[in-house]
Amino acid sequence: MILDSEMRHADASSTSHLELLLRLLYCSGWMRRLWTLQEGLAAKSRLYVLFSGKAVNISTVADELLTKLDRGKLPIMQERITTFAIAAWFSFFQHTVEYASKFERFVDFVASPFEKRDLSKDRLIASNWFHVATRATSKAGDRPIILAGILNLDLKEILEVKGSDERMRKFYSLLDDFPQDVLFQPGPRFEEDGMRWAMKVCQYTEQLGYLASGAGNITPRGLQITLFSSWLFSSRIVFDLGLFEVNLDQGQLAWERWLEEHNLEEANNLPSVCLLKTNSPVIFEPNATYGIILRESKAPQPGSWMTCVVVLLRTTEDGVHYAQYIGRGIIGSISSASFGNLPEEGYLVPVAWDDWQKREWIVG
């Protein structure tokens, strides 16, 4: 039974089931708190909300709305928001509804016909990561406890260590693989070798970002990355626009040498040049090799940006590139006309979109 002060103000007798469901999903304090996630999952089909005047089994509302939708008994302007509400309920409580229900059949119907119904392990991790990351708690160390519990991992091992960081390390150690898309998620990461790919806390600190891609193996040297295209390049070809801020004269000399070296003095000879902007400054080591791993699979439209991460190549063994995670950023192509209006910060990298390749990485 959910006792929520905001829900108690809603009159269940005179309010539609659609509004009751939306109130719970988007307006209740119960939905925003971390520990209540387990309550909702444990309740299965017996999750009641005490509204003004009476209690409603909210877990059956999705089926009831779907029945009305099927029979055309909803106003046409409510059909889309009803579908949205049903999908949202499924997203949060998809593992608690019996497969025989109308709601589960609805989900089968709207899902891609090329998608297997059974959730893969990485999708299960991604789904529950989102649920935990969007909820609030005063103790970061509680998040790996909840994650481990709803993923059916060994809670004892999590509880035996203290502190948020150590519990998250233990959480990762109980997994064999993890969604590769974690590379592009914003937020603090571990700083030791082999763990720089991993988020220190399951919480969104900026915009929401669902873990959307397939899983990579977790190895002692890092996370396996196979799904994304990337560039490899020498640090010597990078031009740091911050040089102008440090010393204008020396920056200008370095700029002229860079233009001459890469044959950029004439627009007709201009190869592709990309502008890389990183979330934090990068100090490119001399004579080192770096990689830029791109989240998207298609070249962007002119003037648009792609999310990426920068990695430092350490070694290549049997075709696998072992690299150190450096940081997140965005990258886009620019033309010679843009050289007169460059930003004060960022890095110019003379690489072409056609040069990117699928590579296997171990990023740690």
Side-chain angles (χ1 to χ4, degrees):
M1 177 75 76
I2 299 173
L3 306 178
D4 183 284
S5 60
E6 294 171 81
M7 297 300 97
R8 293 288 298 275
H9 293 296
D11 185 357
S13 300
S14 60
T15 304
S16 69
H17 277 178
L18 174 59
E19 182 178 336
L20 294 179
L21 184 60
L22 289 172
R23 280 180 176 272
L24 178 70
L25 288 173
Y26 295 100
C27 302
S28 69
W30 179 85
M31 195 71 181
R32 293 192 293 267
R33 299 300 300 174
L34 176 62
W35 282 96
T36 60
L37 175 59
Q38 292 187 127
E39 297 172 4
L41 294 175
K44 297 185 181 293
S45 60
R46 297 177 178 84
L47 183 62
Y48 289 83
V49 181
L50 184 60
F51 293 102
S52 175
K54 67 176 182 179
V56 175
N57 186 351
I58 201 74
S59 59
T60 65
V61 166
D63 267 357
E64 294 174 9
L65 289 173
L66 182 58
T67 299
K68 291 182 179 180
L69 192 63
D70 284 342
R71 296 177 179 176
K73 292 187 176 182
L74 290 175
I76 191 170
M77 295 297 291
Q78 289 187 15
E79 289 183 356
R80 289 191 65 185
I81 190 65
T82 299
T83 304
F84 176 80
I86 293 172
W89 178 263
F90 173 76
S91 173
F92 283 103
F93 301 105
Q94 57 188 331
H95 311 301
T96 68
V97 185
E98 293 182 359
Y99 187 76
S101 76
K102 298 174 186 176
F103 181 51
E104 285 288 307
R105 295 199 299 274
F106 165 77
V107 173
D108 281 343
F109 176 75
V110 300
S112 167
F114 305 105
E115 182 179 36
K116 292 183 178 180
R117 178 63 190 89
D118 295 333
L119 283 177
S120 60
K121 184 183 295 184
D122 63 300
R123 287 190 62 198
L124 190 64
I125 292 173
S127 174
N128 287 297
W129 183 277
F130 179 84
H131 297 161
V132 171
T134 52
R135 292 174 178 246
T137 180
S138 58
K139 297 181 179 180
D142 290 346
R143 295 184 182 276
I145 297 174
I146 301 297
L147 266 175
I150 59 182
L151 289 172
N152 200 29
L153 301 176
D154 189 348
L155 268 178
K156 182 180 179 181
E157 293 198 40
I158 302 287
L159 293 170
E160 283 178 345
V161 296
K162 303 299 181 183
S164 173
D165 287 1
E166 293 307 313
R167 283 179 173 174
M168 282 302 294
R169 285 191 182 92
K170 178 58 68 174
F171 167 75
Y172 290 119
S173 74
L174 300 176
L175 300 173
D176 296 322
D177 43 43
F178 201 83
Q180 299 180 33
D181 194 58
V182 68
L183 281 189
F184 308 101
Q185 298 297 312
R189 300 176 184 273
F190 291 102
E191 298 178 357
E192 61 265 32
D193 289 343
M195 285 292 291
R196 292 184 179 89
W197 62 269
M199 309 297 294
K200 293 180 72 173
V201 61
C202 179
Q203 180 180 14
Y204 292 120
T205 57
E206 299 177 23
Q207 73 275 14
L208 300 182
Y210 191 81
L211 294 171
S213 299
N217 294 329
I218 298 175
T219 76
R221 298 168 70 174
L223 181 67
Q224 179 192 36
I225 304 296
T226 58
L227 299 176
F228 308 109
S229 298
S230 59
W231 287 298
L232 273 176
F233 57 92
S234 170
S235 60
R236 68 177 183 81
I237 73 170
V238 179
F239 184 80
D240 183 355
L241 294 171
L243 292 175
F244 291 114
E245 289 293 309
V246 175
N247 188 303
L248 182 59
D249 292 335
Q250 291 185 7
Q252 185 62 36
L253 290 174
W255 170 249
E256 293 172 358
R257 288 196 301 269
W258 187 82
L259 290 175
E260 182 179 359
E261 180 179 355
H262 297 288
N263 198 26
L264 301 177
E265 295 170 302
E266 297 183 16
N268 292 334
N269 296 325
L270 181 67
S272 293
V273 175
C274 293
L275 176 61
L276 170 67
K277 298 180 180 180
T278 55
N279 291 51
S280 56
V282 177
I283 300 176
F284 288 92
E285 298 179 5
N287 302 316
T289 300
Y290 285 81
I292 294 177
I293 303 176
L294 302 156
R295 189 177 195 178
E296 292 80 3
S297 59
K298 296 181 180 179
Q301 297 295 323
S304 61
W305 297 88
M306 300 180 70
T307 304
C308 66
V309 294
V310 180
V311 296
L312 170 60
L313 182 67
R314 291 303 192 189
T315 184
T316 301
E317 302 172 12
D318 298 325
V320 180
H321 299 76
Y322 293 85
Q324 175 183 324
Y325 182 96
I326 300 299
R328 298 171 56 249
I330 56 174
I331 191 167
S333 61
I334 62 173
S335 66
S336 59
S338 302
F339 284 179
N341 190 29
L342 291 170
E344 295 180 355
E345 296 179 339
Y347 310 91
L348 295 177
V349 188
V351 292
W353 292 113
D354 293 342
D355 292 339
W356 62 14
Q357 299 178 22
K358 282 287 186 68
R359 299 177 173 89
E360 182 175 353
W361 297 86
I362 299 292
V363 177

